[in-house]
Amino acid sequence: MNCPYCGSRLSIRDRCDRCGEDMTIFKKVYRIANQYYNIGVRKAQVRDLSGAVMALQNCLRLNKKHTDARNLLGLIYQEMGETVSALGQWVISKHFQSEDNEADYYLNLVQRNPSRLDTVNQVIKKYNSALTSARQGSDDLAIIQLKKVVSINPHYVQALQLLALLYIHNKEYERARKYLKRAAKVDVTNTTTLTYLEELRELGVLEDAEPAEETRSRDSITDRDVIVPAHTYAEEKPNIMAWVNLVLGVIIGAAFIMIAIVPGIRKQEVQGESGEIVELNEQLIRQQAELEAAEGEKTALTEEIADLNKQIKKLEKAQENKGEETPKKEDLSVYETLMQAAVAFLEEKETEAADLLVQVDRKKLELKQAVTLYGKLSGQLFEEQSQEAYQSGHALYTAGKYEDSLKEFEKAIQMNPDNVDAMYFTGRAYHRLEQYEEARKWYNRLIDDYPDTGRAGEAKGRLRELPAEPETNE
Amino acid sequence: MIDFEQELAKFQLSLEVDQAEDAINQNKLADVTDIIKELIEEIKNR
């Protein structure tokens, strides 16, 4: 179960661990949805497809993101011959869960073969045409079209039912019964199928009444029936040579495949593998180029640091020569910290580099190269490290360590003053620590400076939860 | 006895493949969870 607000996984507690919203009602709804899903599964297992469809639709009305229910509903539609409805459900399922979803496999099965999809479309068009013909009174045309439809898609329940209805209308009850039996095998409790079967039962069309069926079929001979004259010809006994010929044919066919077709397939596989090798080589070349570019950047940064060091030494000498006081230790220390940050970055210790860089007051940097270096390092480090600091702070906040989390959030905001998540949770941490004035300050800052963000909306809600500001005595 | 015209009227045209996109777009995807969220939001805003 996932939180409907922030999407994080719910724990056994009644509140979401991430956003803190009350989940009691939602958990009840999800449990009922799961029960409907289980009912749908049991009904599908016994081929009660109509019942399964209703149960799964109820499940999705309660929880539209129930991927398993949606995928199963798609499968059931596919089984009943409603391919487009099935595709619709799988597409929506992928929309809600794009990774690790069975719907990918089902969609590939249907879509990977374009001619198959075209066949499906032709069947649907023929069915629609048959229905239109039936409504216009052209029963014979409709029957011909529907027989074609059910021969291509024998599980198309609606087509089987319509064909049976047309036969009942034309008083060809035996044929109607045959198609209704096929529909009942696909979906055992379909109401329409059962209603038509009941109608045939009332008309006396029974399964085991064979003499009556023969009479009835004689009475209802139509132009389409083929009449074979009865004779006393006895079927010949099974011919063993036919089987021998069959086996020989299979052996010859297998030999032909091994000689003519398999080498071709193997050649294609080898070509495919060669293609893969070429692609991997290209990837390797690309990665080498990227590595070289990164090395080049590293060298450039190292040169800048060396240059900067020289500049600092020159400055110190020049000022000594002039007889001025040596530059204040604090002014030099800001360059030292910058150097340390640059060295840590070159050693790929990004967190340490960011922590050092945050201590550098950009306004105190007078040398142009130092400012450039600061700009490059902050561009590379601050955004990512700000997010890391926020995540670290959020973990501490979730564990109830609010004061420790405040330090991480402060670091995140220093690195990226637009980090609205860090600002929001700073407010939340103060709120939890019952320091309501600080909390109010942070919520108001979010609302005033970032009014269009989601966090500003949440901050408005949290503001209402704060106790009223004490009135100032005049 | 079933009424042929009445039964025939119950049959609907099936969606073709090129109509699938429109059908998916028009699919109302609101569920009970969405309704509950709206109600809670309304109560909070009062």
Side-chain angles (χ1 to χ4, degrees):
Chain A
M1 292 183 197
N2 289 344
C3 171
Y5 290 100
C6 65
S8 62
R9 200 110 182 108
L10 294 176
S11 65
I12 54 167
R13 294 197 287 197
D14 283 341
R15 288 202 168 262
C16 172
D17 289 337
R18 191 149 184 201
C19 64
E21 292 290 342
D22 186 6
M23 292 291 119
T24 320
I25 299 174
F26 294 108
K27 280 192 172 184
K28 278 185 186 155
V29 169
Y30 289 154
R31 276 191 206 109
I32 298 169
N34 286 342
Q35 283 172 2
Y36 272 118
Y37 169 69
N38 292 338
I39 291 168
V41 169
R42 282 199 287 275
K43 284 184 182 282
Q45 283 169 343
V46 295
R47 286 225 159 245
D48 177 5
L49 300 187
S50 303
V53 164
M54 281 179 57
L56 292 170
Q57 283 176 341
N58 283 337
C59 171
L60 292 170
R61 279 187 196 112
L62 291 168
N63 179 8
K64 68 189 178 196
K65 295 183 184 175
H66 202 302
T67 310
D68 290 338
R70 209 173 277 284
N71 289 344
L72 179 58
L73 184 60
L75 278 176
I76 292 172
Y77 281 142
Q78 172 70 7
E79 177 64 5
M80 291 166 75
E82 304 282 348
T83 305
V84 173
S85 301
L87 286 172
Q89 291 304 321
W90 292 329
V91 165
I92 294 170
S93 171
K94 270 212 73 177
H95 165 70
F96 285 126
Q97 184 182 323
S98 52
E99 286 177 30
D100 197 25
N101 192 339
E102 286 291 324
D104 281 325
Y105 171 70
Y106 302 139
L107 283 166
N108 279 337
L109 271 183
V110 174
Q111 290 174 328
R112 69 178 172 196
N113 191 343
S115 64
R116 184 173 172 174
L117 201 58
D118 191 53
T119 308
V120 162
N121 208 25
Q122 293 306 320
V123 162
I124 294 168
K125 282 189 167 134
K126 224 177 251 307
Y127 167 78
N128 290 341
S129 171
L131 180 57
T132 310
S133 303
R135 284 180 179 160
Q136 288 166 353
S138 311
D139 287 5
D140 290 340
L141 179 60
I143 286 172
I144 292 167
Q145 288 173 319
L146 284 168
K147 280 173 86 167
K148 184 83 181 158
V149 164
V150 302
S151 73
I152 298 171
N153 187 351
H155 283 203
Y156 199 164
V157 171
Q158 272 207 87
L160 291 165
Q161 289 169 345
L162 181 57
L163 188 52
L165 178 65
L166 288 167
Y167 277 132
I168 292 173
H169 187 232
N170 287 298
K171 298 185 173 32
E172 293 182 61
Y173 301 123
E174 189 47 43
R175 290 195 166 131
R177 191 187 67 82
K178 184 177 94 177
Y179 288 105
L180 286 172
K181 284 289 179 196
R182 278 168 60 173
K185 272 191 188 160
V186 176
D187 180 5
V188 298
T189 59
N190 188 291
T191 313
T192 309
T193 308
L194 294 174
T195 306
Y196 294 170
L197 280 170
E198 186 57 34
E199 178 68 16
L200 291 177
R201 208 166 284 124
E202 283 174 11
L203 288 167
V205 181
L206 299 169
E207 250 180 87
D208 49 4
E210 292 218 3
E213 282 175 5
E214 277 181 17
T215 316
R216 191 159 278 111
S217 69
R218 255 189 234 131
D219 288 343
S220 62
I221 284 174
T222 65
D223 290 339
R224 283 189 293 281
D225 287 340
V226 174
I227 300 170
V228 177
H231 51 70
T232 54
Y233 180 74
E235 280 189 16
E236 58 181 57
K237 286 180 190 163
N239 189 353
I240 195 116
M241 285 311 293
W243 290 105
V244 169
N245 286 335
L246 181 68
V247 168
L248 271 174
V250 166
I251 292 170
I252 292 169
F256 176 74
I257 287 169
M258 289 306 294
I259 295 166
I261 296 175
V262 165
I265 292 170
R266 282 210 184 121
K267 190 178 168 188
Q268 268 183 12
E269 275 175 14
V270 164
Q271 275 174 358
E273 275 163 23
S274 305
E276 260 183 54
I277 291 171
V278 164
E279 214 181 287
L280 282 168
N281 271 334
E282 280 173 12
Q283 231 178 44
L284 193 64
I285 291 167
R286 264 198 307 271
Q287 279 171 355
Q288 275 173 346
E290 276 168 24
L291 197 63
E292 275 167 28
E295 289 287 321
E297 219 178 280
K298 189 174 166 180
T299 314
L301 273 170
T302 314
E303 281 172 14
E304 269 196 45
I305 291 168
D307 200 29
L308 214 54
N309 271 329
K310 277 187 206 161
Q311 294 260 354
I312 291 168
K313 285 194 176 113
K314 252 192 221 169
L315 205 65
E316 282 174 3
K317 240 189 200 168
Q319 284 178 328
E320 267 178 29
N321 289 340
K322 279 186 189 168
E324 285 173 6
E325 289 176 7
T326 51
K328 290 183 192 162
K329 272 196 178 164
E330 346 174 314
D331 294 340
L332 280 182
S333 76
V334 77
Y335 290 103
E336 279 172 8
T337 315
L338 181 60
M339 293 300 118
Q340 284 168 0
V343 166
F345 176 74
L346 288 170
E347 289 172 357
E348 293 176 17
K349 295 174 186 170
E350 287 176 352
T351 313
E352 191 185 317
D355 287 342
L356 285 163
L357 199 64
V358 146
Q359 294 169 36
V360 171
D361 185 353
R362 197 196 165 289
K363 290 173 199 153
K364 288 190 179 166
L365 296 173
E366 292 174 356
L367 296 173
K368 195 177 155 193
Q369 286 92 333
V371 171
T372 311
L373 181 62
Y374 179 90
K376 272 196 181 159
L377 289 174
S378 62
Q380 299 255 7
L381 290 171
F382 274 170
E383 200 171 327
E384 197 185 306
Q385 290 303 314
S386 172
Q387 232 3 65
E388 296 243 0
Y390 160 70
Q391 293 292 349
S392 166
H394 188 269
L396 288 165
Y397 172 88
T398 312
K401 296 176 184 170
Y402 303 117
E403 305 215 353
D404 293 336
S405 73
L406 281 170
K407 292 177 192 156
E408 292 297 314
F409 292 139
E410 189 190 333
K411 206 163 54 166
I413 294 168
Q414 273 181 322
M415 292 186 197
N416 177 11
D418 294 327
N419 192 332
V420 291
D421 292 327
M423 279 187 231
Y424 174 75
F425 276 98
T426 304
R428 290 294 299 134
Y430 278 123
H431 197 154
R432 296 274 190 181
L433 289 167
E434 294 178 5
Q435 295 180 29
Y436 298 124
E437 279 313 306
E438 285 297 314
R440 188 171 281 113
K441 197 173 82 180
W442 281 97
Y443 291 148
N444 279 326
R445 184 171 158 182
L446 257 177
I447 293 165
D448 294 335
D449 295 347
Y450 304 94
D452 296 329
T453 59
R455 289 297 185 192
E458 287 174 49
K460 275 183 195 162
R462 295 296 178 193
L463 258 183
R464 282 192 283 272
E465 291 171 19
L466 291 172
E469 287 187 71
E471 288 176 8
T472 53
N473 292 325
E474 286 180 27
Chain B
M1 186 71 186
I2 54 174
D3 183 333
F4 175 69
E5 295 299 331
Q6 202 178 23
E7 289 300 317
L8 193 59
K10 289 180 190 171
F11 285 90
Q12 299 291 323
L13 294 171
S14 282
L15 283 174
E16 295 175 25
V17 173
D18 42 15
Q19 294 169 321
E21 188 182 336
D22 286 335
I24 291 167
N25 285 336
Q26 282 163 15
N27 205 315
K28 287 180 195 158
L29 290 179
D31 62 3
V32 166
T33 313
D34 293 328
I35 295 169
I36 292 173
K37 274 164 71 177
E38 276 177 31
L39 285 170
I40 292 173
E41 200 56 42
E42 246 177 77
I43 292 166
K44 274 186 188 170
N45 286 338
R46 273 192 205 154

